[in-house]
Amino acid sequence: MPRESATPAAIEKSAFVPDFEPFIAARPGEAAAVLASRRTAMERFVQLGVPHRRLENWRHTDLSPLTKNRFTLAAEPTAIDPVQLVPYSLSGARELVFVDGFFSAELSNPGKAQPGLLLGSYAECLPEDALRWAVAPETAEALEALNGAYWQDGAFVDLAADARVEAPIHLLFIATGADLPLAQFVRNRITAGPGSRATIIETYASLGAGVHFTCPVGTVDVGANADLDHYRLGQENAAAFHLATSRVRLGRDARFKSLAFVAGGGLVRHDLLAELAGPSSEATLHGLYLAGGTRHIDHHLWVRHSAPHAASRQIYKGILAGRARAVFNGNVFVASEAAKTDAKQTNRNLLLSDAALVHSNPQLEIYAGDVRCTHGSTVGQLDEEALFYLRSRGLDEAQAKNLLTRAFASDLFEDIRPAALRDRLETLLYTWLSFEAGIAGTAP
Amino acid sequence: MLEITSLQARVEGKAILKGIDLTVRPGEVHAIMGPNGSGKSTLAGVLAGREEYEVTGGAVRYLAQDLLELAPEERARAGLLLAFQYPVEIPGVSNVYFLKAALNALRKHRGEGELDAVEFLALVRGQLKTVQMDESFLRRSVNEGFSGGEKKRNEILQMALLEPRLAILDETDSGLDIDALKIVADGVNGLRSPERSFLVITHYQRLLDYIVPDFVHVLMNGRIVRSGGRELALELEEKGYGWLEAEVTVGA
Ligand SMILES: Nc1ncnc2c1ncn2[C@@H]1O[C@H](COP(=O)(O)OP(=O)(O)OP(=O)(O)O)[C@@H](O)[C@H]1O
Ligand SMILES: [Mg+2]
């Protein structure tokens, strides 16, 4: 169907679809099973189409700007000067670098081989894994299906039982962000075997200011007694679309701790689905989103307690300036068999401007007895009394606001283990406040 | 140093200060007393630049400047310091960071070099001793969970560090035990000099045994109704404010 004559609804339905056959035709070497899984995914996507605002879960996030663009996939890895990675790469880490969706062995530094650790390109390590969806393709969400159809590459991290990886593993996804709008469909699989321990950091960044579309799907399996720290850092450009889905599953006594730090992207949506499937598992889900200008940042959390004695802690905080919009939707579901669940959900938002807006919607759905579940959400401004106190001691207004805003977020920094990462995030927050929110302060 | 002439101010449409005249010369200590709600903190707040107070008349000159024209931070940099009646808790900002930022803001303004963490720590350690505060107070968040007396001592610590030209102490003695009261008084007396002035708001003559004022003023219903020497404080201690109220009504 020619795009020009289509109705708006049809445009949503047909976006990304016509490109599929040419995409498949250009992958003659791919295993039949993988191609078949791409087709299944495409069928699912055709069924669902691009999410629109008439859907309950997309009420506040409008993807029509996305479908106004025509994205293409990079045909081959874009060559970039390694110097451009310096601001993003993390010293002391095992690092995998991806450029416009392609793994780059030259730019990567996976470190010394370690027994029990598999670390590399998803496409190279385990292509047939494309068949192993975290959810059945028939029940996948639209963006997962889109990713399932078009995925190019991503990171594969596999920790064998009791493997302990000391250095953080850094997965760096670079979008070149040149004039031609590119899409990258990233597929990551992280498996932490029983009793294993690691720290994984995902960074999404753009080099240029051009429009691009990043659509990652991540699957994280945290085995029995495993201990996984996961950081997700978004610092793409203001024109970027970043629509991500992560599915996390925790086994018995597993521990998963995550921080989603969003300091970039123009239209950002992250669906984090975490299932506490094993008894006595523990998920700590933290988030900090910074939005200025006309950026839009949407977090949807789906925490499912399906085993007894498990604990989940969500703390998401937002700082908004300009005419930015944020959405927080936190859903905690406690199944009937999840007795003694301890779930806590907090969303706090700080508005630095009158024109910024937050939709915060925490939800509890409880089917088990004898549980402890709390939730709360706040939207507020800086404390005027504190502001005056600081100014009365000689700090100028911007400096005082900068300091109080950093204080608002400070508890989320306490738990950041890799020191290099904590420094980077503190600097990012400080820089964002100074340059995007217009409140220049004194460096941390 | 400070010259207040027929200062009037209101809060939320309600007149609180109804014509204050007060002159403080360098080196002087002035005590301001008066019943609850008479406008003492309002006066202190107007001088420090609180925005919720609307000045509706009068003028304030401070060190040859129009004080009311200055932003709160500019007043601080010009050497004015208000020790708060209710110091504010600031979770997430460590006390040491706050104190250093404050001192460096003033030093920068005075054209002196900013102190680095090590230099600052050396300086603040000495000051902590004079207010008998433990070093752990540096790491804690500003005033968070401090007891009433600890908050007041933290105010005096700031005064000692920032060395103001004019310090306004709003009931810094309230809620203090006798030892803490002496610490506060020693802090003030240690800073007394021919260039430095103090405006001490208090309800208790007891403080004035330690910080001996040059003048005592009584503020009632938004006006200074009586000024005198330190013996006025003793008289108030004995008779309360009732007799002044009667006089004011008769005089009005
Ligand atoms: N922000 C405000 N909003 C409304 N009313 C206010 C505000 N600040 C002060 N007032 C009122 O102004 C009057 C004077 O208050 P102020 O705090 O100056 O009294 P005070 O002399 O310091 O009393 P105290 O001895 O109890 O500290 C009071 O009636 C008080 O309620
Ligand atoms: Mg008062």
Side-chain angles (χ1 to χ4, degrees), chain A residues 55-115:
Chain A
L55 298 167
E56 178 60 24
N57 294 330
W58 290 88
R59 231 160 24 108
H60 299 297
T61 296
D62 181 11
L63 291 186
S64 63
L66 175 79
T67 49
K68 287 200 184 78
N69 288 279
R70 189 157 167 77
F71 296 102
T72 49
L73 294 174
E76 55 186 37
T78 318
I80 62 168
D81 185 344
V83 168
Q84 292 184 277
L85 294 183
V86 171
Y88 307 106
S89 114
L90 205 65
S91 66
R94 294 173 178 270
E95 198 161 75
L96 301 186
V97 178
F98 300 80
V99 180
D100 289 334
F102 289 93
F103 174 62
S104 165
E106 303 86 80
L107 297 172
S108 297
N109 177 20
K112 267 212 290 291
Q114 176 183 332

Side-chain angles (χ1 to χ4, degrees), chain A residues 265-346:
Chain A
L267 198 171
V268 177
R269 161 86 174 215
H270 185 209
D271 280 74
L272 171 57
L273 302 92
E275 182 181 4
L276 294 102
S280 305
S281 52
E282 202 182 301
T284 306
L285 311 175
H286 287 176
L288 179 63
Y289 44 94
L290 317 176
T294 56
R295 294 179 196 248
H296 181 105
I297 300 179
D298 178 346
H299 283 98
H300 268 63
L301 270 68
W302 313 89
V303 174
R304 190 185 173 92
H305 281 263
S306 45
H309 294 281
S312 64
R313 294 270 172 279
Q314 301 172 48
I315 305 177
Y316 269 63
K317 291 189 172 185
I319 304 171
L320 282 86
R323 294 192 292 123
R325 297 280 178 273
V327 180
F328 176 83
N329 205 95
N331 189 290
V332 179
F333 180 95
V334 182
S336 59
E337 56 271 36
K340 301 276 182 200
T341 284
D342 183 357
K344 193 167 180 197
Q345 182 188 69
T346 312

Side-chain angles (χ1 to χ4, degrees), chain B residues 3 15-16 21 24-25 34 64 68 82 117 166 184 186 197 222 230:
Chain B
E3 194 178 344
I16 309 287
D21 293 284
V24 179
R25 281 173 291 268
L68 302 178
L82 168 63
L166 172 65
V184 168
D186 288 347
S197 310
R230 61 176 301 212

Side-chain angles (χ1 to χ4, degrees), chain A residues 385 389 391-394 442, chain B residues 50 73 77 82 155 158:
Chain A
E385 265 299 299
Y389 192 59
R391 293 179 70 191
S392 80
R393 296 302 182 253
T442 313
Chain B
R50 259 188 204 282
E73 58 270 31
R77 291 169 194 171
L82 168 63
E155 294 292 288
Q158 290 165 48

